[in-house]
Amino acid sequence: MDRLVLDDLELKGKRVLTRVDFNVPLSNGKVMDDTRIQAALPTLKKIIGDGGKLVLMSHLGRPKAGPTPEFSLKPVAAHLSQLLGKEVKMAPDCVGEEVQKMANALQEGEILMLENTRFYKEETKNDAEFSKKLATLGEVFVNDAFGAAHRAHASTEGVTKHLKESAAGYLLQAEVENLNKLLEAPQKPYVVILGGAKVSDKIKVIHNLVTRVSALLIGGGMAYTFLKAKEIAIGDSILDVEHLAMAHNTLIVVRNPHPYKKLKFVLPSDHLIARANNDKEYQVCEAAEIPAGWKGVDIGPKTVAEFKELISTAQTVFWNGPMGIFENNAFAAGTVEIAKAVAAATERGAFTVVGGGDSIAAIEKAGVKDRISHVSTGGGASLEFLAGIDLPGITALSKPRKKAEPAKKTEA
Ligand code: ADP
Ligand code: MG
């Protein structure tokens, strides 16, 4: 990548302010899934191993009203401490005098975890003063939070303006290197499968994606906004009214035979539906239209077969977003079938990438996580990257100091 990376930094004796994505699910003060913490360990071990003084910062959830115990990173610090077999000091805040003192007092190889950056509204506003305060806690900056790299926040972007050197951690670097293979010269057919529930984030980039891919398969909660835009009845299915117009525009772009002549844009032609107010009552709906009083909870068998067919000839696959409410076993079949089809594509020699928190949970549920070429920790971030959009968290990092190495080419 054309940015400074962790291995370029002099770490010994330095306070290394490190942005990680520790936005993990918590329940009763316990970490329920530590995938994101595990993913950052190589970077953290390198920093403390080289004698750096590690200052960790992250967001957690979406606290609306300032500091709230349920969004505290304390349980995460405790979990990390167990994983590393080492003390992780917990700061009472992420900025301020007391925190500054704690950071300054760190010895080589010691770790300080800052409190949730989203306890301040200045974080998401990328406030300059707040960014400066965060920056004073470190001497160099490392960003390993790929999942947050598509957001220009104080802890991902603003902070880099007040530190001399900012570098990509190992996780961020690996993400960029793997996703670059899809961005630069993906082997065709290149099939992208999109689903899930975060329609607003994802629908914006579909526009950019359509010029790059051979087929775009839409399932999950996202499909209903598109079906609705086509004036197909969706009953009580999840709908993002605010993005209907955008979905409509995308439909016009993909319908137009030029210049994306060869693009296949596929929406579900059948569904599994459940009663709007009773998940126990469900059945296959053989048509694209969903009757009133029912909601789509998974793609139907016809759609599964059609998606599988297209995946079976793909040389490159990217998947983000489950095909249905897969957390409920009764509604998981479509997601599990697609997961298996993507795994089979990998074994055939295709380069496959699955990204997003829930999508990772889905491939785990399907038991195919080790049969995917690259599992990306970012959902929205990987999607934007693949759409060719610059991610502010990456762009803000320092340019390489020495003469740049020749850009990595794809394997193909
Ligand atoms: P990711 O975390 O992989 O980026 P999202 O967060 O966008 O994915 O979406 C995952 C969520 O989407 C899951 O909780 C799943 O239950 C939900 N979902 C998928 N299909 C539907 C549907 N038809 N109706 C409602 N929610 C859905
Ligand atoms: Mg999610």
Side-chain angles (χ1 to χ4, degrees):
M1 64 188 292
D2 67 338
R3 285 295 182 274
L4 215 58
V5 294
L6 183 57
D7 283 342
D8 297 328
L9 292 181
E10 188 61 54
L11 299 164
K12 191 167 167 59
K14 292 248 175 72
R15 271 180 285 119
V16 187
L17 181 62
T18 304
R19 176 58 157 99
V20 285
D21 181 5
F22 284 175
N23 182 26
V24 294
L26 297 176
S27 173
N28 296 320
K30 283 249 143 59
V31 174
M32 300 313 286
D33 178 352
D34 70 354
T35 310
R36 286 178 170 164
I37 304 176
Q38 296 274 5
L41 288 182
T43 292
L44 309 190
K45 285 181 179 162
K46 164 75 178 169
I47 294 170
I48 53 178
D50 278 15
K53 305 167 178 178
L54 181 58
V55 181
L56 288 170
M57 66 178 166
S58 176
H59 76 285
L60 177 75
R62 298 186 173 191
K64 293 264 145 59
T68 9
E70 73 175 293
F71 292 110
S72 170
L73 278 158
K74 233 187 226 162
V76 178
H79 191 93
L80 176 65
S81 171
Q82 269 186 353
L83 289 179
L84 291 171
K86 213 171 163 35
E87 187 193 4
V88 176
K89 300 180 203 295
M90 185 67 210
D93 201 341
C94 63
V95 287
E97 227 172 276
E98 195 182 343
V99 182
Q100 185 74 56
K101 269 189 203 146
M102 289 178 87
N104 292 349
L106 284 175
Q107 301 296 308
E108 291 185 6
E110 287 189 342
I111 310 166
L112 174 68
M113 175 93 231
L114 304 182
E115 192 46 283
N116 194 345
T117 52
R118 288 213 189 149
F119 284 168
Y120 291 83
K121 59 179 184 332
E122 288 87 345
E123 157 74 333
T124 51
K125 289 189 175 153
N126 200 7
D127 179 82
E129 276 310 305
F130 181 68
S131 302
K132 212 169 173 175
K133 283 186 199 159
L134 288 174
T136 58
L137 299 171
E139 293 162 274
V140 285
F141 177 62
V142 170
N143 190 351
D144 217 18
F146 179 71
H150 59 316
R151 314 216 186 269
H153 290 170
S155 67
T156 59
E157 203 265 351
V159 78
T160 64
K161 295 182 184 139
H162 308 283
L163 282 150
K164 224 169 113 205
E165 285 194 314
S166 306
Y170 291 143
L171 172 65
L172 188 70
Q173 187 184 354
E175 291 277 14
V176 170
E177 285 169 2
N178 275 294
L179 294 174
N180 257 336
K181 295 182 195 166
L182 270 66
L183 185 65
E184 284 170 357
Q187 281 212 60
K188 302 278 172 91
Y190 174 14
V191 174
V192 170
I193 311 144
L194 292 181
K198 282 189 214 150
V199 181
S200 56
D201 276 358
K202 297 173 182 178
I203 204 165
K204 293 175 210 149
V205 307
I206 293 182
H207 228 82
N208 298 53
L209 263 183
V210 294
T211 58
R212 300 176 180 269
V213 306
S214 320
L216 199 49
L217 319 181
I218 313 250
M222 178 178 291
Y224 304 103
T225 302
F226 281 100
L227 290 172
K228 179 83 178 177
K230 284 184 88 168
E231 291 176 21
I232 291 172
I234 59 162
D236 290 290
S237 304
I238 185 172
L239 169 69
D240 187 336
V241 184
E242 279 172 38
H243 291 89
L244 257 181
M246 211 177 258
H248 198 254
N249 284 339
T250 303
L251 287 169
I252 292 169
V253 171
V254 298
R255 211 184 298 136
N256 194 338
H258 294 286
Y260 318 125
K261 226 190 279 189
K262 290 185 197 133
L263 172 78
K264 290 194 181 77
F265 184 84
V266 192
L267 292 170
S269 52
D270 65 344
H271 317 271
L272 186 71
I273 56 174
R275 280 274 185 209
N277 51 12
N278 179 14
D279 278 354
K280 297 238 158 64
E281 198 185 331
Y282 54 88
Q283 63 187 57
V284 170
C285 168
E286 285 178 14
E289 292 83 10
I290 296 175
W294 295 78
K295 61 181 180 191
V297 293
D298 193 8
I299 51 175
K302 229 188 331 172
T303 306
V304 168
E306 195 178 357
F307 283 13
K308 282 176 88 167
E309 174 77 31
L310 286 160
I311 295 165
S312 77
T313 59
Q315 286 306 318
T316 308
V317 178
F318 174 71
W319 179 21
N320 167 249
M323 296 291 99
I325 307 173
F326 74 103
E327 296 91 340
N328 181 339
N329 285 337
F331 308 153
T335 301
V336 169
E337 283 297 303
I338 296 308
K340 287 183 179 159
V342 176
T346 320
E347 267 133 38
R348 229 189 342 94
F351 185 70
T352 59
V353 178
V354 175
D358 293 290
S359 306
I360 294 173
I363 52 173
E364 270 169 358
K365 183 164 188 156
V368 300
K369 195 178 168 194
D370 355 322
R371 295 161 60 199
I372 306 294
S373 311
H374 175 64
V375 177
S376 172
T377 49
S382 52
L383 202 53
E384 287 195 21
F385 189 95
L386 295 181
I389 297 167
D390 281 334
L391 306 190
I394 296 175
T395 312
L397 300 176
S398 311
K399 290 274 190 184
R401 247 181 273 128
K402 297 164 234 147
K403 233 175 75 196
E405 281 175 6
K408 279 227 167 100
K409 284 276 176 289
T410 60
E411 283 170 348

